[in-house]
Short mmCIF file of all heavy atoms in Angstrom, two decimals:
data_model
loop_
_atom_site.label_atom_id
_atom_site.label_comp_id
_atom_site.label_asym_id
_atom_site.label_seq_id
_atom_site.Cartn_x
_atom_site.Cartn_y
_atom_site.Cartn_z
N MET K 237 210.34 -198.03 187.57
CA MET K 237 211.40 -199.00 187.76
C MET K 237 211.62 -199.74 186.44
O MET K 237 210.69 -200.13 185.76
CB MET K 237 211.02 -199.98 188.86
CG MET K 237 212.02 -201.11 188.99
SD MET K 237 211.58 -202.33 190.24
CE MET K 237 211.92 -201.40 191.71
N LYS K 238 212.86 -199.92 186.11
CA LYS K 238 213.21 -200.64 184.89
C LYS K 238 213.03 -202.14 185.11
O LYS K 238 213.41 -202.68 186.13
CB LYS K 238 214.66 -200.32 184.52
CG LYS K 238 215.05 -200.93 183.22
CD LYS K 238 216.43 -200.53 182.81
CE LYS K 238 216.75 -201.30 181.57
NZ LYS K 238 218.11 -201.39 181.27
N ARG K 239 212.47 -202.80 184.11
CA ARG K 239 212.26 -204.23 184.20
C ARG K 239 213.51 -204.96 183.72
O ARG K 239 214.06 -204.64 182.67
CB ARG K 239 211.06 -204.63 183.36
CG ARG K 239 209.77 -204.00 183.91
CD ARG K 239 208.63 -204.22 182.98
NE ARG K 239 208.15 -205.58 183.18
CZ ARG K 239 207.22 -206.13 182.43
NH1 ARG K 239 206.68 -205.46 181.44
NH2 ARG K 239 206.82 -207.36 182.66
N PRO K 240 213.96 -205.94 184.46
CA PRO K 240 215.15 -206.71 184.05
C PRO K 240 214.94 -207.36 182.68
O PRO K 240 213.85 -207.81 182.34
CB PRO K 240 215.27 -207.77 185.13
CG PRO K 240 214.53 -207.24 186.30
CD PRO K 240 213.41 -206.40 185.72
N GLY K 241 215.99 -207.35 181.88
CA GLY K 241 215.94 -207.99 180.59
C GLY K 241 215.33 -207.15 179.49
O GLY K 241 215.19 -207.60 178.37
N ARG K 242 214.96 -205.92 179.79
CA ARG K 242 214.35 -205.04 178.79
C ARG K 242 215.29 -203.88 178.51
O ARG K 242 215.71 -203.17 179.42
CB ARG K 242 213.03 -204.49 179.29
CG ARG K 242 212.02 -205.56 179.57
CD ARG K 242 210.82 -205.31 178.78
NE ARG K 242 209.88 -206.40 178.98
CZ ARG K 242 208.75 -206.43 178.37
NH1 ARG K 242 208.41 -205.47 177.56
NH2 ARG K 242 207.95 -207.44 178.55
N ALA K 243 215.61 -203.67 177.26
CA ALA K 243 216.46 -202.56 176.87
C ALA K 243 215.63 -201.28 176.78
O ALA K 243 214.45 -201.31 176.47
CB ALA K 243 217.13 -202.83 175.53
N VAL K 244 216.31 -200.17 177.03
CA VAL K 244 215.67 -198.86 176.94
C VAL K 244 216.38 -198.05 175.87
O VAL K 244 217.61 -197.98 175.84
CB VAL K 244 215.76 -198.11 178.30
CG1 VAL K 244 215.23 -196.71 178.18
CG2 VAL K 244 215.02 -198.89 179.37
N ALA K 245 215.59 -197.46 174.96
CA ALA K 245 216.13 -196.56 173.94
C ALA K 245 215.47 -195.21 174.13
O ALA K 245 214.24 -195.11 174.13
CB ALA K 245 215.85 -197.08 172.55
N VAL K 246 216.27 -194.17 174.33
CA VAL K 246 215.73 -192.83 174.56
C VAL K 246 216.15 -191.93 173.40
O VAL K 246 217.34 -191.84 173.08
CB VAL K 246 216.23 -192.25 175.90
CG1 VAL K 246 215.70 -190.85 176.10
CG2 VAL K 246 215.82 -193.15 177.05
N HIS K 247 215.19 -191.28 172.79
CA HIS K 247 215.47 -190.33 171.71
C HIS K 247 215.80 -188.99 172.34
O HIS K 247 214.94 -188.39 173.00
CB HIS K 247 214.27 -190.21 170.77
CG HIS K 247 214.03 -191.44 169.98
ND1 HIS K 247 214.06 -191.45 168.61
CD2 HIS K 247 213.80 -192.72 170.36
CE1 HIS K 247 213.84 -192.69 168.18
NE2 HIS K 247 213.68 -193.47 169.22
N THR K 248 217.02 -188.53 172.15
CA THR K 248 217.43 -187.26 172.73
C THR K 248 217.88 -186.33 171.61
O THR K 248 218.88 -186.57 170.95
CB THR K 248 218.58 -187.44 173.74
OG1 THR K 248 219.71 -187.98 173.07
CG2 THR K 248 218.18 -188.35 174.88
N VAL K 249 217.11 -185.28 171.42
CA VAL K 249 217.44 -184.32 170.36
C VAL K 249 217.69 -182.93 170.92
O VAL K 249 217.92 -182.00 170.16
CB VAL K 249 216.34 -184.28 169.27
CG1 VAL K 249 216.28 -185.60 168.53
CG2 VAL K 249 214.99 -183.94 169.87
N THR K 250 217.67 -182.80 172.25
CA THR K 250 218.00 -181.53 172.89
C THR K 250 218.88 -181.81 174.10
O THR K 250 218.91 -182.93 174.62
CB THR K 250 216.74 -180.78 173.37
OG1 THR K 250 216.13 -181.53 174.44
CG2 THR K 250 215.73 -180.56 172.25
N ALA K 251 219.56 -180.78 174.57
CA ALA K 251 220.39 -180.93 175.78
C ALA K 251 219.53 -181.28 176.99
O ALA K 251 219.95 -182.05 177.86
CB ALA K 251 221.18 -179.64 176.01
N ALA K 252 218.32 -180.73 177.04
CA ALA K 252 217.43 -181.00 178.18
C ALA K 252 217.00 -182.46 178.22
O ALA K 252 217.02 -183.09 179.29
CB ALA K 252 216.20 -180.09 178.12
N THR K 253 216.61 -183.02 177.08
CA THR K 253 216.18 -184.43 177.09
C THR K 253 217.36 -185.35 177.39
O THR K 253 217.18 -186.39 178.04
CB THR K 253 215.51 -184.84 175.77
OG1 THR K 253 216.39 -184.59 174.68
CG2 THR K 253 214.20 -184.12 175.56
N LEU K 254 218.55 -184.97 176.96
CA LEU K 254 219.73 -185.77 177.28
C LEU K 254 220.00 -185.75 178.78
O LEU K 254 220.27 -186.79 179.39
CB LEU K 254 220.95 -185.28 176.51
CG LEU K 254 222.25 -186.01 176.79
CD1 LEU K 254 222.14 -187.49 176.43
CD2 LEU K 254 223.40 -185.36 176.04
N ALA K 255 219.91 -184.57 179.39
CA ALA K 255 220.14 -184.46 180.84
C ALA K 255 219.12 -185.27 181.63
O ALA K 255 219.47 -185.95 182.60
CB ALA K 255 220.09 -182.99 181.26
N ILE K 256 217.88 -185.24 181.21
CA ILE K 256 216.83 -186.02 181.88
C ILE K 256 217.09 -187.51 181.72
O ILE K 256 216.94 -188.28 182.67
CB ILE K 256 215.44 -185.62 181.35
CG1 ILE K 256 215.11 -184.19 181.78
CG2 ILE K 256 214.37 -186.60 181.82
CD1 ILE K 256 213.92 -183.58 181.06
N ALA K 257 217.48 -187.93 180.53
CA ALA K 257 217.76 -189.35 180.29
C ALA K 257 218.92 -189.83 181.15
O ALA K 257 218.85 -190.90 181.76
CB ALA K 257 218.05 -189.59 178.82
N ILE K 258 219.98 -189.05 181.21
CA ILE K 258 221.14 -189.43 182.04
C ILE K 258 220.74 -189.52 183.51
O ILE K 258 221.12 -190.46 184.21
CB ILE K 258 222.31 -188.46 181.82
CG1 ILE K 258 222.90 -188.67 180.42
CG2 ILE K 258 223.37 -188.62 182.90
CD1 ILE K 258 223.95 -187.64 180.01
N ALA K 259 219.94 -188.56 183.97
CA ALA K 259 219.47 -188.59 185.36
C ALA K 259 218.62 -189.83 185.62
O ALA K 259 218.74 -190.47 186.68
CB ALA K 259 218.68 -187.33 185.68
N ALA K 260 217.78 -190.20 184.67
CA ALA K 260 216.95 -191.40 184.83
C ALA K 260 217.81 -192.65 184.91
O ALA K 260 217.56 -193.54 185.74
CB ALA K 260 215.95 -191.50 183.67
N TRP K 261 218.83 -192.74 184.05
CA TRP K 261 219.73 -193.90 184.11
C TRP K 261 220.52 -193.91 185.41
O TRP K 261 220.82 -194.98 185.94
CB TRP K 261 220.66 -193.94 182.90
CG TRP K 261 220.10 -194.70 181.74
CD1 TRP K 261 219.67 -196.00 181.75
CD2 TRP K 261 219.91 -194.24 180.41
NE1 TRP K 261 219.23 -196.37 180.50
CE2 TRP K 261 219.37 -195.31 179.65
CE3 TRP K 261 220.16 -193.03 179.76
CZ2 TRP K 261 219.07 -195.20 178.31
CZ3 TRP K 261 219.86 -192.92 178.43
CH2 TRP K 261 219.32 -194.00 177.70
N ASP K 262 220.86 -192.74 185.93
CA ASP K 262 221.53 -192.70 187.23
C ASP K 262 220.66 -193.34 188.31
O ASP K 262 221.16 -194.04 189.18
CB ASP K 262 221.86 -191.25 187.63
CG ASP K 262 223.12 -190.71 186.98
OD1 ASP K 262 223.99 -191.52 186.59
OD2 ASP K 262 223.24 -189.48 186.87
N LEU K 263 219.37 -193.11 188.24
CA LEU K 263 218.44 -193.66 189.24
C LEU K 263 218.12 -195.14 188.99
O LEU K 263 218.08 -195.93 189.93
CB LEU K 263 217.14 -192.87 189.25
CG LEU K 263 217.22 -191.45 189.78
CD1 LEU K 263 215.90 -190.71 189.57
CD2 LEU K 263 217.60 -191.46 191.25
N ALA K 264 217.89 -195.49 187.74
CA ALA K 264 217.42 -196.85 187.42
C ALA K 264 218.54 -197.84 187.14
O ALA K 264 218.34 -199.04 187.24
CB ALA K 264 216.49 -196.78 186.21
N GLY K 265 219.70 -197.32 186.74
CA GLY K 265 220.79 -198.19 186.33
C GLY K 265 220.75 -198.42 184.83
O GLY K 265 219.71 -198.28 184.19
N VAL K 266 221.89 -198.76 184.28
CA VAL K 266 222.04 -198.97 182.84
C VAL K 266 222.08 -200.45 182.55
O VAL K 266 222.82 -201.20 183.18
CB VAL K 266 223.34 -198.29 182.33
CG1 VAL K 266 223.56 -198.60 180.86
CG2 VAL K 266 223.29 -196.79 182.58
N GLY K 267 221.27 -200.87 181.58
CA GLY K 267 221.28 -202.26 181.14
C GLY K 267 222.23 -202.44 179.97
O GLY K 267 222.64 -201.47 179.33
N PRO K 268 222.60 -203.67 179.64
CA PRO K 268 223.59 -203.92 178.61
C PRO K 268 223.18 -203.46 177.21
O PRO K 268 224.03 -203.18 176.38
CB PRO K 268 223.79 -205.44 178.65
CG PRO K 268 222.59 -205.97 179.34
CD PRO K 268 222.10 -204.89 180.26
N ALA K 269 221.90 -203.36 176.91
CA ALA K 269 221.49 -202.95 175.57
C ALA K 269 220.84 -201.56 175.55
O ALA K 269 220.30 -201.15 174.54
CB ALA K 269 220.53 -203.98 174.99
N ASP K 270 220.89 -200.85 176.67
CA ASP K 270 220.32 -199.50 176.72
C ASP K 270 221.09 -198.58 175.79
O ASP K 270 222.30 -198.73 175.60
CB ASP K 270 220.36 -198.94 178.13
CG ASP K 270 219.39 -199.63 179.07
OD1 ASP K 270 218.60 -200.47 178.62
OD2 ASP K 270 219.43 -199.31 180.27
N ARG K 271 220.35 -197.61 175.20
CA ARG K 271 221.02 -196.74 174.23
C ARG K 271 220.33 -195.39 174.12
O ARG K 271 219.16 -195.24 174.45
CB ARG K 271 221.08 -197.40 172.87
CG ARG K 271 219.73 -197.62 172.23
CD ARG K 271 219.82 -198.57 171.05
NE ARG K 271 218.53 -198.76 170.42
CZ ARG K 271 217.60 -199.61 170.83
NH1 ARG K 271 217.81 -200.36 171.90
NH2 ARG K 271 216.46 -199.72 170.18
N ILE K 272 221.09 -194.46 173.59
CA ILE K 272 220.59 -193.14 173.24
C ILE K 272 220.43 -193.11 171.73
O ILE K 272 221.38 -193.40 171.00
CB ILE K 272 221.56 -192.05 173.71
CG1 ILE K 272 221.62 -192.03 175.24
CG2 ILE K 272 221.15 -190.68 173.16
CD1 ILE K 272 222.70 -191.14 175.79
N GLU K 273 219.23 -192.78 171.28
CA GLU K 273 218.96 -192.67 169.84
C GLU K 273 219.09 -191.21 169.42
O GLU K 273 218.66 -190.32 170.14
CB GLU K 273 217.55 -193.16 169.52
CG GLU K 273 217.32 -194.63 169.81
CD GLU K 273 217.84 -195.53 168.71
OE1 GLU K 273 218.11 -195.04 167.60
OE2 GLU K 273 217.98 -196.73 168.96
N HIS K 274 219.63 -190.99 168.28
CA HIS K 274 219.85 -189.69 167.65
C HIS K 274 221.00 -188.94 168.31
O HIS K 274 222.01 -188.73 167.69
CB HIS K 274 218.58 -188.85 167.57
CG HIS K 274 217.48 -189.55 166.83
ND1 HIS K 274 217.59 -189.88 165.50
CD2 HIS K 274 216.29 -190.03 167.25
CE1 HIS K 274 216.48 -190.52 165.13
NE2 HIS K 274 215.69 -190.64 166.16
N GLY K 275 220.85 -188.53 169.56
CA GLY K 275 221.95 -187.87 170.26
C GLY K 275 222.48 -186.67 169.48
O GLY K 275 223.68 -186.51 169.35
N SER K 276 221.59 -185.84 168.98
CA SER K 276 222.03 -184.74 168.13
C SER K 276 222.72 -183.61 168.88
O SER K 276 223.41 -182.82 168.27
CB SER K 276 220.85 -184.19 167.33
OG SER K 276 219.83 -183.76 168.19
N VAL K 277 222.53 -183.54 170.19
CA VAL K 277 223.17 -182.49 170.99
C VAL K 277 223.87 -183.15 172.18
O VAL K 277 223.29 -183.30 173.25
CB VAL K 277 222.14 -181.45 171.50
CG1 VAL K 277 222.83 -180.37 172.30
CG2 VAL K 277 221.37 -180.85 170.34
N ILE K 278 225.11 -183.58 171.95
CA ILE K 278 225.89 -184.19 173.04
C ILE K 278 227.18 -183.40 173.18
O ILE K 278 228.02 -183.40 172.28
CB ILE K 278 226.17 -185.68 172.76
CG1 ILE K 278 224.86 -186.46 172.66
CG2 ILE K 278 227.06 -186.25 173.86
CD1 ILE K 278 225.04 -187.93 172.34
N THR K 279 227.33 -182.74 174.30
CA THR K 279 228.53 -181.97 174.57
C THR K 279 229.66 -182.90 174.99
O THR K 279 229.40 -184.05 175.40
CB THR K 279 228.28 -180.96 175.70
OG1 THR K 279 227.97 -181.69 176.90
CG2 THR K 279 227.14 -180.00 175.37
N PRO K 280 230.91 -182.45 174.89
CA PRO K 280 232.02 -183.31 175.34
C PRO K 280 231.87 -183.80 176.79
O PRO K 280 232.08 -185.00 177.04
CB PRO K 280 233.25 -182.43 175.15
CG PRO K 280 232.89 -181.55 173.99
CD PRO K 280 231.42 -181.24 174.21
N PRO K 281 231.46 -182.96 177.76
CA PRO K 281 231.28 -183.51 179.11
C PRO K 281 230.18 -184.58 179.18
O PRO K 281 230.32 -185.58 179.89
CB PRO K 281 230.90 -182.28 179.95
CG PRO K 281 231.43 -181.12 179.20
CD PRO K 281 231.31 -181.50 177.75
N ALA K 282 229.10 -184.37 178.43
CA ALA K 282 228.03 -185.37 178.41
C ALA K 282 228.52 -186.66 177.75
O ALA K 282 228.19 -187.76 178.19
CB ALA K 282 226.79 -184.84 177.69
N ALA K 283 229.33 -186.53 176.69
CA ALA K 283 229.89 -187.71 176.02
C ALA K 283 230.76 -188.51 176.99
O ALA K 283 230.70 -189.75 176.99
CB ALA K 283 230.69 -187.29 174.79
N ASP K 284 231.54 -187.81 177.80
CA ASP K 284 232.36 -188.50 178.80
C ASP K 284 231.49 -189.25 179.79
O ASP K 284 231.79 -190.40 180.16
CB ASP K 284 233.25 -187.50 179.55
CG ASP K 284 234.33 -186.90 178.67
OD1 ASP K 284 234.65 -187.48 177.60
OD2 ASP K 284 234.87 -185.84 179.06
N ARG K 285 230.39 -188.64 180.23
CA ARG K 285 229.49 -189.27 181.20
C ARG K 285 228.81 -190.49 180.57
O ARG K 285 228.69 -191.53 181.18
CB ARG K 285 228.44 -188.24 181.65
CG ARG K 285 227.44 -188.76 182.64
CD ARG K 285 228.07 -188.96 184.01
NE ARG K 285 227.09 -189.48 184.91
CZ ARG K 285 227.12 -190.70 185.44
NH1 ARG K 285 228.14 -191.49 185.19
NH2 ARG K 285 226.18 -191.11 186.23
N ILE K 286 228.37 -190.34 179.32
CA ILE K 286 227.72 -191.43 178.60
C ILE K 286 228.68 -192.62 178.46
O ILE K 286 228.30 -193.77 178.68
CB ILE K 286 227.22 -190.94 177.23
CG1 ILE K 286 226.06 -189.97 177.42
CG2 ILE K 286 226.83 -192.11 176.33
CD1 ILE K 286 225.72 -189.16 176.18
N ALA K 287 229.92 -192.33 178.13
CA ALA K 287 230.92 -193.39 177.99
C ALA K 287 231.17 -194.08 179.33
O ALA K 287 231.27 -195.30 179.39
CB ALA K 287 232.22 -192.82 177.43
N ALA K 288 231.25 -193.29 180.40
CA ALA K 288 231.49 -193.86 181.72
C ALA K 288 230.32 -194.75 182.16
O ALA K 288 230.53 -195.74 182.88
CB ALA K 288 231.70 -192.74 182.74
N MET K 289 229.12 -194.43 181.71
CA MET K 289 227.95 -195.22 182.05
C MET K 289 227.84 -196.49 181.20
O MET K 289 227.07 -197.39 181.52
CB MET K 289 226.67 -194.39 181.88
CG MET K 289 226.57 -193.21 182.82
SD MET K 289 225.15 -192.16 182.45
CE MET K 289 223.88 -193.05 183.31
N GLY K 290 228.60 -196.53 180.11
CA GLY K 290 228.56 -197.70 179.23
C GLY K 290 227.39 -197.69 178.26
O GLY K 290 227.03 -198.74 177.73
N LEU K 291 226.81 -196.52 178.03
CA LEU K 291 225.69 -196.42 177.10
C LEU K 291 226.18 -196.39 175.66
O LEU K 291 227.27 -195.91 175.38
CB LEU K 291 224.88 -195.15 177.38
CG LEU K 291 224.02 -195.19 178.64
CD1 LEU K 291 223.59 -193.79 179.02
CD2 LEU K 291 222.81 -196.08 178.40
N THR K 292 225.34 -196.85 174.76
CA THR K 292 225.60 -196.78 173.33
C THR K 292 224.84 -195.60 172.76
O THR K 292 223.70 -195.35 173.17
CB THR K 292 225.13 -198.08 172.65
OG1 THR K 292 225.89 -199.17 173.19
CG2 THR K 292 225.30 -198.04 171.15
N VAL K 293 225.44 -194.91 171.81
CA VAL K 293 224.75 -193.84 171.09
C VAL K 293 224.57 -194.28 169.65
O VAL K 293 225.54 -194.65 168.98
CB VAL K 293 225.53 -192.51 171.15
CG1 VAL K 293 224.81 -191.43 170.33
CG2 VAL K 293 225.71 -192.06 172.59
N VAL K 294 223.33 -194.26 169.18
CA VAL K 294 223.01 -194.62 167.81
C VAL K 294 222.63 -193.34 167.09
O VAL K 294 221.67 -192.67 167.46
CB VAL K 294 221.85 -195.63 167.75
CG1 VAL K 294 221.52 -195.99 166.32
CG2 VAL K 294 222.18 -196.86 168.55
N THR K 295 223.40 -192.97 166.08
CA THR K 295 223.13 -191.72 165.36
C THR K 295 222.42 -192.00 164.05
O THR K 295 222.36 -193.14 163.59
CB THR K 295 224.44 -190.96 165.08
OG1 THR K 295 225.28 -191.78 164.27
CG2 THR K 295 225.14 -190.59 166.36
N GLN K 296 221.91 -190.97 163.47
CA GLN K 296 221.24 -191.05 162.19
C GLN K 296 222.00 -190.17 161.20
O GLN K 296 221.68 -189.00 161.04
CB GLN K 296 219.79 -190.58 162.32
CG GLN K 296 218.97 -191.35 163.34
CD GLN K 296 218.77 -192.79 162.95
OE1 GLN K 296 218.67 -193.12 161.78
NE2 GLN K 296 218.74 -193.68 163.92
N PRO K 297 223.03 -190.69 160.55
CA PRO K 297 223.87 -189.85 159.68
C PRO K 297 223.10 -189.22 158.53
O PRO K 297 223.51 -188.19 158.02
CB PRO K 297 224.95 -190.79 159.19
CG PRO K 297 224.41 -192.16 159.40
CD PRO K 297 223.47 -192.07 160.56
N GLY K 298 222.00 -189.77 158.14
CA GLY K 298 221.20 -189.19 157.07
C GLY K 298 220.56 -187.88 157.45
O GLY K 298 220.12 -187.12 156.60
N PHE K 299 220.49 -187.59 158.76
CA PHE K 299 219.87 -186.36 159.24
C PHE K 299 220.87 -185.24 159.44
O PHE K 299 220.51 -184.15 159.84
CB PHE K 299 219.13 -186.60 160.54
CG PHE K 299 217.95 -187.53 160.41
CD1 PHE K 299 217.67 -188.45 161.40
CD2 PHE K 299 217.13 -187.48 159.29
CE1 PHE K 299 216.58 -189.30 161.28
CE2 PHE K 299 216.04 -188.33 159.17
CZ PHE K 299 215.77 -189.24 160.16
N VAL K 300 222.15 -185.49 159.17
CA VAL K 300 223.17 -184.45 159.38
C VAL K 300 223.04 -183.39 158.31
O VAL K 300 222.81 -183.62 157.17
CB VAL K 300 224.59 -185.07 159.37
CG1 VAL K 300 225.63 -183.99 159.46
CG2 VAL K 300 224.72 -186.04 160.50
#
């Protein structure tokens, strides 16, 4: 269970970890500062879902 007032940052570098993270947020709910770190593999449908959930994606442009 997610604790109120605590932000969650999930490092997703594969499609599988992104799918698991989205499923977890579906169950726990999204907090205002929750975010996806790296997000190196985000498909257009996943990007639409992430936007609808109100999540932030933080990328690392130095790793491109």
Side-chain angles (χ1 to χ4, degrees):
M237 173 182 287
K238 185 175 175 200
R239 296 172 79 186
R242 300 236 176 182
V244 174
V246 178
H247 291 240
T248 62
V249 294
T250 67
T253 56
L254 178 61
I256 292 166
I258 289 172
W261 270 304
D262 279 336
L263 291 172
V266 175
D270 289 354
R271 65 194 182 277
I272 294 171
E273 296 279 345
H274 303 296
S276 58
V277 181
I278 298 178
T279 63
D284 292 341
R285 180 73 181 113
I286 291 165
M289 295 173 83
L291 286 164
T292 297
V293 177
V294 180
T295 60
Q296 302 295 327
F299 295 141
V300 175

